[in-house]
């Protein structure tokens, strides 16, 4: 991060090591850190997840909550699509530069990335199938509010954010909706719906398995790395986040903040590498989510506190 100041000797050590294929924590240039994933972290939300990349206290930690509500259709809106509203906030305690209004730019950058990754389905570029969120065309639809809080930053915010959002949406359950067609006295048919008020009668979101994962590349010296640490980001010269779907399609590409872009000659190699790494990350995500689901089931057997930070993580 920008707040981390390294001496010239430390910068030279990191750059020379990466150029020779060695990183300060022992990883190779394309190796990723350990990931911890938990779901059901917020009892009041329709779905939630928390993702940590790295070890406790020295890793990037992101919490995502999803809240669903029914919205009435108004003229000018898509006739048969639902909506997703994303918002990302970096906690002032996550990094020194986030204090005051220091996090405004990165909040906007991460919100735009998350919106493109999740809401890209309406353009056929991965993301949620927004048509599945429509209840009755030109009448009512579901709105998903996806709110993320960055609790700690030790590199690779975008990767942790997208993974936490993906898990939160897979954890999301909506009330069942009953749609009926009613004929009035004039013989005209009109559709009406009723949201079932039963905490046990819930349905999962459709299409969440098609959500992408993110792979962020940082250029350090003449080489690039993935899942950069805090120290490596302090000497980063170029930064690029690539979102890849389970079908290994490139869904979104976003340059990071104030960093310059990669050389055009490297783009083809980077995109191919992103697809290969994404395939591995999707396989790892399946195992992490299954473990998180089992952990959530075990936690549900105990007393409920309704508090995010009293859930074991």
């Amino acid at each position: 991060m920008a707040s981390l100041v390294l001496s010239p000797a430390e910068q030279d050590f990191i750059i020379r090591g990466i150029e020779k294929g060695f990183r300060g924590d022992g990883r190779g240039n394309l190796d990723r850190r350990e990931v911890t994933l938990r779901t059901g972290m917020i009892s009041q939300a329709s779905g939630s997840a928390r993702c940590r990349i790295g070890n406790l206290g020295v890793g990037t930690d992101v919490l995502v909550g999803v809240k669903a509500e029914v919205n009435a259709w108004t003229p000018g809106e898509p006739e048969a699509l639902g909506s997703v509203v994303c918002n990302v906030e970096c906690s002032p305690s996550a990094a020194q530069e986030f204090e005051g209004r220091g996090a405004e730019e990165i909040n906007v950058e991460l919100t735009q990335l998350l919106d493109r990754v999740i809401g890209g389905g309406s353009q056929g570029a991965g993301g949620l199938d927004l048509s599945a969120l429509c209840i009755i065309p030109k009448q009512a639809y579901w709105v998903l509010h996806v709110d993320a809080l960055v609790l700690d930053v030790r590199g690779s915010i975008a990767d942790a954010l997208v993974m936490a959002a993906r898990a939160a949406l897979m954890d999301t359950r909506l009330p069942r909706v009953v749609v009926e067609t009613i004929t009035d006295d004039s013989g005209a048919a009109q559709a009406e719906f009723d949201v079932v008020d039963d905490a046990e009668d819930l349905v999962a979101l459709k299409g969440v398995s098609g959500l992408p994962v993110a792979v962020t590349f940082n250029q350090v010296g003449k080489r690039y790395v993935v899942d950069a640490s805090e120290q490596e980001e302090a000497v980063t010269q170029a930064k690029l986040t690539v979102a890849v779907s389970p079908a290994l399609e490139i869904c979104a590409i976003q340059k990071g903040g104030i960093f310059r872009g990669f050389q055009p000659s490297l783009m083809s190699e980077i995109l191919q590498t992103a697809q290969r790494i994404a395939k591995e990350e999707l396989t790892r995500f399946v195992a992490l989510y299954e473990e998180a689901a089992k952990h959530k089931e075990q936690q549900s057997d105990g007393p409920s506190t309704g508090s995010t930070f009293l859930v074991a993580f």
Side-chain angles (χ1 to χ4, degrees):
M1 300 302 296
S3 62
L4 184 64
V5 179
L6 301 178
S7 68
E10 290 173 314
Q11 296 180 30
D12 186 65
F13 175 81
I14 294 172
I15 293 172
R16 288 177 178 272
I18 288 175
E19 289 179 343
K20 294 182 180 180
F22 300 99
R23 300 167 74 174
D25 53 9
R27 291 182 290 155
N29 288 354
L30 299 182
D31 292 339
R32 281 83 69 199
R33 289 172 289 180
E34 177 186 356
V35 175
T36 303
L37 185 68
R38 291 290 182 265
T39 57
M41 302 296 291
I42 308 174
S43 59
Q44 298 90 345
S46 303
S48 60
R50 189 172 177 181
C51 177
R52 183 177 67 238
I53 295 181
N55 297 323
L56 180 63
V58 290
T60 296
D61 195 352
V62 180
L63 175 69
V64 176
V66 180
K67 195 70 174 178
E69 64 179 13
V70 176
N71 201 33
W73 179 83
T74 57
E77 294 180 334
E79 297 181 358
L81 295 177
S83 177
V84 177
V85 179
C86 299
N87 182 61
V88 181
E89 297 286 343
C90 293
S91 171
S93 62
Q96 183 177 347
E97 69 265 31
F98 294 162
E99 296 178 0
R101 302 179 62 180
E104 287 185 352
E105 290 186 7
I106 192 169
N107 288 344
V108 172
E109 177 187 333
L110 293 174
T111 297
Q112 290 175 343
L113 174 65
L114 193 61
D115 186 62
R116 293 173 65 193
V117 168
I118 295 177
S122 60
Q123 289 79 36
L128 280 178
D129 180 8
L130 299 183
S131 63
L133 297 177
C134 178
I135 299 174
I136 301 176
K138 300 179 70 173
Q139 186 170 334
Y141 58 90
W142 285 107
V143 178
L144 300 181
H145 295 273
V146 182
D147 296 301
L149 178 63
V150 179
L151 301 170
D152 200 0
V153 178
R154 295 295 186 272
S156 298
I157 304 179
D159 298 0
L161 171 64
V162 173
M163 184 171 288
R166 193 176 198 270
L169 288 165
M170 291 183 68
D171 183 59
T172 298
R173 297 295 182 268
L174 302 179
R176 186 168 61 88
V177 178
V178 178
V179 179
E180 299 178 338
T181 301
I182 299 177
T183 304
D184 58 21
D185 296 337
S186 63
Q190 183 177 358
E192 293 187 357
F193 70 95
D194 182 42
V195 179
V196 178
D197 187 14
D198 184 353
E200 300 298 326
D201 195 0
L202 304 173
V203 295
L205 287 176
K206 296 180 181 179
V208 290
S209 60
L211 288 171
V213 294
V215 182
T216 300
F217 295 83
N218 292 63
Q219 182 177 343
V220 179
K222 299 178 182 179
R223 303 285 295 275
Y224 59 79
V225 299
V226 297
D227 186 17
S229 67
E230 184 181 23
Q231 292 77 14
E232 290 165 347
E233 288 203 341
V235 295
T236 289
Q237 299 161 332
K239 186 175 181 180
L240 191 73
T241 298
V242 183
V244 184
S245 73
L248 301 185
E249 297 177 340
I250 305 298
C251 302
I253 300 175
Q254 182 162 309
K255 182 176 75 72
I258 61 174
F259 300 104
R260 63 174 175 82
F262 279 85
Q263 295 293 332
S265 58
L266 285 176
M267 288 303 299
S268 177
E269 177 186 341
I270 286 175
L271 295 181
Q272 291 178 6
T273 304
Q275 290 173 313
R276 178 172 62 82
I277 292 176
K279 184 177 181 180
E280 298 171 358
E281 286 296 283
L282 285 162
T283 301
R284 178 163 71 157
F285 177 87
V286 171
L288 289 168
Y289 186 80
E290 290 177 352
E291 179 186 353
K294 292 179 182 178
H295 188 272
K296 176 183 175 182
E297 185 177 353
Q298 294 173 355
Q299 291 292 321
S300 64
D301 296 335
S304 176
T305 63
S307 176
T308 299
F309 298 102
L310 291 180
V311 179
F313 182 67

